[in-house]
Amino acid sequence: MIYDFCIIGAGPAGIFSAISLAESGKSVILIEKNSKIGIKLLITGKGRCNITNSEPDFREFISKYGNNGKFLFSSFSKFNNFDIVSFFEENGLKTENERGNRIFPKTGNAKDVLQILKRNLEKYKVEVLKNSPVLDIVKNKNKIEKIILENKKEIEAENFVITTGGKSYPLTGSTGDGYKFAEKLGHKIIEPKPALCSIILKENIKELEGLSLKNVNISIYFENKKLIDNFGEAIFTREGMSGPIILDMSEKISEYLDKYLNIRLKIDFKPALDFKKLDDRILRDFEKLNNKDFKNSLNKLLPQKLIPFVIKKSGIDPDKKVNSVTKEERNKLIHLLKECEFNILKLDGFEKAIITSGGVDLKEVDPKNMKSKIIDNLYFAGEVLDINGPTGGYNLQVCWTTANAIN
Ligand SMILES: Cc1cc2nc3c(=O)[nH]c(=O)nc-3n(C[C@H](O)[C@H](O)[C@H](O)COP(=O)(O)OP(=O)(O)OC[C@H]3O[C@@H](n4cnc5c(N)ncnc54)[C@H](O)[C@@H]3O)c2cc1C
């Protein structure tokens, strides 16, 4: 059989393009190397699947993807964040809006999202071939003739779609095969790099592992120059830091690491208070505590897990009575709380990156329908393309929008 469309990779982009194409009457085969489809989708949003973001302003939404966001203008105007919510709601999945306009299924379970996608694959009679890694793509001049599977089976189609994802979390099946295929077919690949990724610090911060920070400001510095900063939540890991504000800065941090010899991270644990106000606050606390030891004086100001670290770093004798802490010592403490410094060693690798930046160069893809400008019957969708956004549902939206654009 010669299918109208052969789609390589059954993640959200592959599944959704299969559904959209089959719904419009095309015969579609969807090929997946794993024994199950949508494995990565199941771990999105910590198993809850942040389907998209309800940011209402179209331009604001697109701006989240940086310079490459403009590639999405045309496809997004045809299928946007509200359209994907309607799709799931019409299929019986209620959604809810959480902090930062993040949209999740009300059931809080990514399985329900995948279930609906699977139901639609069945409804529109998409042929799904699992356990079938694609090994090679054979072209003749500027047209793909067929693909070859690991078991030597060949599949022919009028058109082919590469939706193999990026290189992050390779255990889910996303091992960067699509980049190799695209490159072999003549496409330029912008170097794939881990993005939305935790960072490793040079210091040993094991004692802080698991400390979760809310409403902090984190800035990245090279020498005395502030390069970027971000406000919100972060968490200490065994060797470094993660959490929303770190993840969202990680792509920039990666660029700075390439450019500068030594970059530092400064945490402001109390961004709502300037140095003077924080000093007043500490003085008030000390007055109330009068004769207590310094080591027992920070309970109201800081999370419990942070206190021993701060006490050690401040250099103030933990057993000193608070009323004998000097102004100089207080200054040191305030400095530590406003500008707690660490050195960044590197980003965590692809194993733990939420997304891959880089990918198929957008200049060689038609933004209206995701068609290759090099190969006549080839399309791309999802993470394999050189477009990525911050956390908050923006990356799955790339999948839904680009998948829907193919026709
Ligand atoms: C831990 C984690 C949490 C995340 N949470 C969110 C979130 O809440 N919201 C959000 O918007 N984004 C989130 N993301 C990002 C999101 O998962 C990706 O953007 C999305 O999965 C990309 O979809 P895709 O279909 O392009 O690729 P993938 O999901 O990577 O799917 C590609 C598929 O292609 C298959 N494949 C690869 N090579 C071959 C081959 N040679 N032959 C056959 N099949 C092949 C793979 O096995 C895989 O199933 C998260 C990512 C991670 C890792």
Side-chain angles (χ1 to χ4, degrees):
M1 165 155 185
I2 299 180
Y3 299 89
D4 291 331
F5 277 85
C6 168
I7 300 174
I8 308 168
I15 299 172
F16 204 63
S17 40
I19 293 169
S20 310
L21 289 164
E23 188 185 6
S24 69
K26 309 281 194 307
S27 59
V28 180
I29 182 164
L30 174 62
I31 299 174
E32 170 57 45
K33 68 154 88 148
N34 290 325
S35 59
K36 291 177 181 162
I37 66 169
I39 286 186
K40 189 179 273 179
L41 186 69
L42 288 178
I43 58 165
T44 55
K46 299 201 172 92
R48 296 171 59 230
C49 188
N50 179 190
I51 301 168
T52 186
N53 192 286
S54 65
E55 165 58 55
D57 187 280
F58 169 77
R59 281 174 197 280
E60 182 60 29
F61 202 108
I62 299 281
S63 74
K64 300 286 185 188
Y65 302 96
N67 272 347
N68 285 357
K70 48 187 184 298
F71 176 83
L72 290 176
F73 260 102
S74 161
S75 53
F76 198 79
S77 60
K78 282 188 220 129
F79 194 85
N80 63 26
N81 44 341
F82 297 106
D83 295 316
I84 192 64
V85 173
S86 302
F87 168 83
F88 282 113
E89 296 241 343
E90 278 159 21
N91 276 277
L93 186 81
K94 291 209 165 40
T95 60
E96 64 187 4
N97 218 329
E98 295 191 8
R99 182 183 44 79
N101 293 332
R102 292 162 150 85
I103 294 184
F104 287 89
K106 217 169 188 154
T107 56
N109 198 338
K111 271 190 199 151
D112 298 326
V113 174
L114 186 58
Q115 201 47 44
I116 284 177
L117 294 173
K118 281 181 175 169
R119 255 197 347 246
N120 277 272
L121 288 174
E122 271 172 35
K123 177 175 170 191
Y124 295 111
K125 306 202 166 23
V126 172
E127 192 175 329
V128 182
L129 209 57
K130 295 178 226 165
N131 290 313
S132 303
V134 174
L135 283 196
D136 201 7
I137 300 186
V138 181
K139 71 163 183 158
N140 185 0
K141 295 191 181 124
N142 50 351
K143 227 176 156 201
I144 298 175
E145 281 186 343
K146 61 187 174 189
I147 58 166
I148 301 172
L149 305 183
E150 195 179 57
N151 62 7
K152 305 278 183 298
K153 195 174 162 187
E154 298 183 351
I155 292 173
E156 292 181 71
E158 295 294 343
N159 299 285
F160 294 82
V161 186
I162 296 183
T163 50
T164 43
K167 286 176 89 166
S168 53
Y169 271 73
L171 287 177
T172 62
S174 323
T175 47
D177 296 9
Y179 304 138
K180 287 181 219 142
F181 297 147
E183 203 159 31
K184 189 182 162 205
L185 292 166
H187 273 270
K188 182 176 167 196
I189 302 299
I190 307 296
E191 188 190 350
K193 290 190 178 169
L196 295 186
C197 188
S198 12
I199 54 172
I200 310 282
L201 299 173
K202 288 186 183 165
E203 291 80 4
N204 181 345
I205 43 95
K206 251 189 227 151
E207 64 183 301
L208 295 177
E209 185 183 358
L211 169 63
S212 151
L213 303 169
K214 287 209 168 78
N215 302 326
V216 292
N217 200 80
I218 297 188
S219 320
I220 307 300
Y221 277 81
F222 170 64
E223 292 178 344
N224 287 328
K225 189 173 161 208
K226 191 200 279 187
L227 302 168
I228 185 176
D229 72 344
N230 205 345
F231 171 83
E233 291 171 30
I235 186 165
F236 278 94
T237 60
R238 174 158 275 264
E239 293 179 295
M241 294 195 76
S242 188
I245 57 179
I246 296 289
L247 297 181
D248 282 342
M249 286 197 290
S250 58
E251 201 179 348
K252 282 274 170 213
I253 294 176
S254 162
E255 282 171 27
Y256 300 140
L257 283 166
D258 285 347
K259 203 164 154 191
Y260 302 115
L261 207 56
N262 186 27
I263 60 168
R264 290 160 11 256
L265 170 154
K266 288 189 191 181
I267 308 176
D268 182 349
F269 292 107
K270 293 284 162 196
L273 304 174
D274 62 20
F275 279 70
K276 167 84 179 61
K277 282 189 181 137
L278 184 55
D279 192 25
D280 293 344
R281 160 78 199 267
I282 290 174
L283 270 176
R284 274 200 312 275
D285 284 359
F286 281 7
E287 262 166 42
K288 275 187 219 150
L289 296 168
N290 201 3
N291 241 352
K292 272 205 170 168
D293 293 343
F294 172 60
K295 65 174 181 242
N296 298 322
S297 67
L298 300 173
N299 295 346
K300 286 212 172 118
L301 193 67
L302 299 176
Q304 211 55 38
K305 202 164 186 150
L306 185 58
I307 296 174
F309 176 83
V310 166
I311 289 184
K312 199 165 34 172
K313 276 244 175 192
S314 73
I316 306 172
D317 176 1
D319 298 320
K320 193 171 192 172
K321 300 292 174 212
V322 284
N323 51 8
S324 52
V325 171
T326 64
K327 184 168 178 11
E328 203 187 7
E329 286 175 324
R330 248 181 20 246
N331 273 345
K332 217 169 157 204
L333 174 65
I334 291 163
H335 184 76
L336 186 61
L337 298 181
K338 294 290 291 174
E339 294 185 327
C340 187
E341 229 178 270
F342 299 94
N343 290 288
I344 300 176
L345 179 65
K346 57 175 185 175
L347 287 195
D348 238 347
F350 280 115
E351 273 67 27
K352 289 188 196 148
I354 302 283
I355 196 104
T356 308
S357 68
V360 175
D361 190 348
L362 301 179
K363 287 195 203 86
E364 297 170 349
V365 181
D366 186 338
K368 287 197 292 296
N369 54 9
M370 305 301 139
K371 193 168 196 266
S372 160
K373 291 181 184 171
I374 294 174
I375 301 288
D376 283 349
N377 58 348
L378 173 64
Y379 298 77
F380 299 95
E383 196 174 328
V384 72
L385 289 163
D386 176 24
I387 184 155
N388 57 287
T391 56
Y394 290 97
N395 289 301
L396 280 176
Q397 186 61 47
V398 171
C399 298
W400 315 128
T401 292
T402 53
N404 180 268
I406 300 169
N407 55 47

